[in-house]
Amino acid sequence: MREYLLTLFTTAAVTYLLTAPVRKFAIVAGAMPPVRARDVHREPTPRLGGIALFGGLCAGLLMASHLTHLTTVFDNGSDVKALLSGAGIMWVLGVLDDKWGVDALVKMGGQMVAAGVMVWQGLTVISIPVPGVGSVSVTPMQGTLISVLLVVIMVNAVNFIDGLDGLAAGMVCIAAMAFFLYSYRLLFGYSIEDAAPATLFTAVLIGMCLGFLPHNLHPARIFMGDSGSMLLGLMLAVAAISITGRVNPDLIIEQTGSQREAVHTLVPIYIPLLLPLTVIALPLADLLLAVVRRTWAGKSPFAADKQHLHHRLLEIGHSHSRAVLIMYFWAALFAFSTVAFSVTDIGRVVVLIGAGLCLLGIVVLLLPRFRPRTPKALQPLVPPRYRDSDDGEGVAEGAAEGPVGGVGRLSPEDEDLLQRLGSGASAAGHRSGTRGGTDG
């Protein structure tokens, strides 16, 4: 565990330190498109945060390659090389989209190319575990189709929720934490060596998100853009592919002593791809609803709109911060409930606790205008937005954020830089209206 934590902290530190200079670079490069009607921020904000995330990814893998117990991931397979190849293609595609804009169909083609390169290097689904049957081998063509489909779904699901400050990074971080706990248990609890790549990849992914979040929380000073959201989605897909279809249920049966216990242990992966899909249940639901909604209206499935789940939370009266926290809550509930059900024999208790938390989430969801008051004695200790306003009515958060949330103000140095270079909106020019949801 110590080596995974060291890799995680290294990734987080490098990502955090890189984000500030990347922000300056994004301003100089003009990667600050004008505010669109569907955006919830009010001023042009630098993008290209994916550059810092990619730097953190490389730093984390470099650190892991020098740690004794993690070198087996690099020596015994090609998963790391496949990840870097696919991530590099996806990252370049995202950077181009953040700066100049790329047509939605071109982006999907690039996503499929990145997935195909990884499959060509051996990162593919080999078999699918089926309850009562065991591992069912798939043909190379079937494995390729499943792997490419998983990459495209994951990438676009994360891209679709990238619409509020800190939303995508936080939800991916939650999903990665749940995935890490599950793969770590398979690796050290059942000695399943095939779970080692997924354990490493999710540890690095957690570090990337934690390092970027301080810059991206509301009000965000930089957005990750497509260069970041597609990279995070790709890493989730790679973790899923590297463990799904490679874990042999027979190995679990040998250690648990019975088919029944083995089935219970493997619940999240016995139904193909269940765990990786449950950890992004909300983004996936948002993606499917968007496709149905746009198709029903006679529009392209890739046509952008302002009807995503996070937009609807703002419309019913939730503040920016509360909408993000609600999405965090539901993501954690789905992800960790699935993992908890797989690691405990008291499944009924897990279901009851999950139902109680669902009820709590629904109550919070239906109280958008509830503003907790901070006692006067504690107000100096809390952020300004949680303090009472001067007239004693409401709190500063509701007044400052309103239905669309606050904005990240530029520093005097950035303002001076923009005056000398021109606004990010004019530098970036008009962008295509077909892109998916982006942070902000």
Side-chain angles (χ1 to χ4, degrees):
M1 177 62 78
R2 288 179 298 179
E3 295 190 345
Y4 287 108
L5 291 177
L6 179 58
T7 301
L8 188 157
F9 289 137
T10 300
T11 305
V14 171
T15 303
Y16 178 81
L17 294 175
L18 282 178
T19 303
V22 166
R23 180 175 181 272
K24 297 291 185 182
F25 171 75
I27 296 174
V28 172
M32 295 175 61
V35 179
R36 299 156 297 187
R38 63 188 176 87
D39 290 330
V40 296
H41 61 286
R42 299 172 183 172
E43 294 181 353
T45 304
R47 299 184 187 274
L48 294 179
I51 296 178
L53 292 169
F54 188 76
L57 166 63
C58 295
L61 293 178
L62 181 62
M63 170 61 72
S65 66
H66 291 85
L67 299 178
T68 304
H69 297 291
L70 300 183
T71 54
T72 55
V73 178
F74 297 82
D75 299 335
N76 298 341
S78 60
D79 286 358
V80 175
K81 295 179 181 178
L83 169 64
L84 288 175
S85 300
I89 295 174
M90 198 74 74
W91 175 71
V92 170
L93 178 65
V95 169
L96 294 176
D97 185 50
D98 290 338
K99 179 60 176 73
W100 291 287
V102 177
D103 184 77
L105 292 178
V106 175
K107 282 198 297 184
M108 178 166 288
Q111 294 165 8
M112 297 177 68
V113 169
V117 169
M118 292 191 298
V119 170
W120 179 70
Q121 292 186 310
L123 186 62
T124 182
V125 173
I126 300 175
S127 61
I128 297 177
V130 178
V133 177
S135 294
V136 177
S137 299
V138 297
T139 65
M141 179 58 68
Q142 292 172 337
T144 298
L145 292 176
I146 294 174
S147 302
V148 171
L149 181 62
L150 183 59
V151 169
V152 172
I153 290 176
M154 290 273 193
V155 167
N156 286 283
V158 174
N159 192 27
F160 268 55
I161 62 164
D162 189 19
L164 295 179
D165 299 348
L167 181 59
M171 292 189 66
V172 170
C173 186
I174 292 171
M177 287 178 179
F179 215 128
F180 174 81
L181 291 176
Y182 180 75
S183 57
Y184 184 85
R185 176 173 177 263
L186 287 183
L187 177 61
F188 291 97
Y190 294 96
S191 300
I192 306 297
E193 293 298 329
D194 288 327
T199 309
L200 173 61
F201 296 159
T202 49
V204 172
L205 183 55
I206 294 170
M208 294 165 61
C209 296
L210 292 179
F212 186 72
L213 270 173
H215 300 273
N216 190 231
L217 289 174
H218 182 71
R221 293 176 56 81
I222 185 173
F223 296 154
M224 68 173 63
D226 279 15
S227 58
S229 62
M230 293 199 300
L231 177 62
L232 297 185
L234 176 79
M235 290 199 62
L236 272 180
V238 168
I241 293 172
S242 67
I243 193 172
T244 302
R246 295 187 178 185
V247 176
N248 187 354
D250 294 337
L251 297 178
I252 306 295
I253 294 175
E254 292 177 2
Q255 298 190 43
T256 58
S258 71
Q259 177 75 24
R260 179 180 178 181
E261 293 184 13
V263 169
H264 178 79
T265 302
L266 288 169
V267 162
I269 64 171
Y270 245 123
I271 300 176
L273 311 181
L274 177 61
L275 179 60
L277 293 182
T278 54
V279 297
I280 61 163
L282 280 183
L284 181 61
D286 196 14
L287 172 62
L288 295 177
L289 288 174
V291 172
V292 172
R293 178 177 65 249
R294 295 165 185 173
T295 304
W296 186 266
K299 301 179 181 179
S300 168
F302 307 104
D305 58 26
K306 203 173 181 178
Q307 297 298 320
H308 293 294
L309 295 177
H310 49 271
H311 289 134
R312 294 181 181 274
L313 289 175
L314 296 178
E315 289 176 359
I316 65 176
H318 288 290
S319 66
H320 193 125
S321 300
R322 179 172 293 190
V324 172
L325 290 176
I326 289 174
M327 296 287 283
Y328 284 178
F329 172 83
W330 286 103
L333 180 61
F334 285 126
F336 288 104
S337 294
T338 303
V339 175
F341 187 79
S342 71
V343 299
T344 178
D345 293 330
I346 50 176
R348 180 177 299 178
V349 175
V350 173
V351 172
L352 292 176
I353 294 176
L357 291 176
C358 285
L359 180 61
L360 175 63
I362 293 174
V363 171
V364 174
L365 189 66
L366 297 178
L367 294 175
R369 301 195 181 280
F370 170 71
R371 307 293 186 193
R373 289 181 176 271
T374 304
K376 292 184 178 180
L378 299 179
Q379 288 189 19
L381 305 178
V382 299
R385 63 179 181 270
Y386 296 114
R387 302 172 188 170
D388 289 342
S389 58
D390 293 336
D391 59 3
E393 296 181 1
V395 294
E397 180 185 8
E401 293 188 34
V404 295
V407 298
R409 296 292 181 183
L410 296 177
S411 65
E413 295 81 2
D414 293 338
E415 292 284 1
D416 179 66
L417 184 60
L418 280 177
Q419 289 178 1
R420 288 186 283 109
L421 295 175
S423 69
S426 62
H430 296 287
R431 292 171 57 85
S432 170
T434 59
R435 50 187 285 126
T438 55
D439 202 349

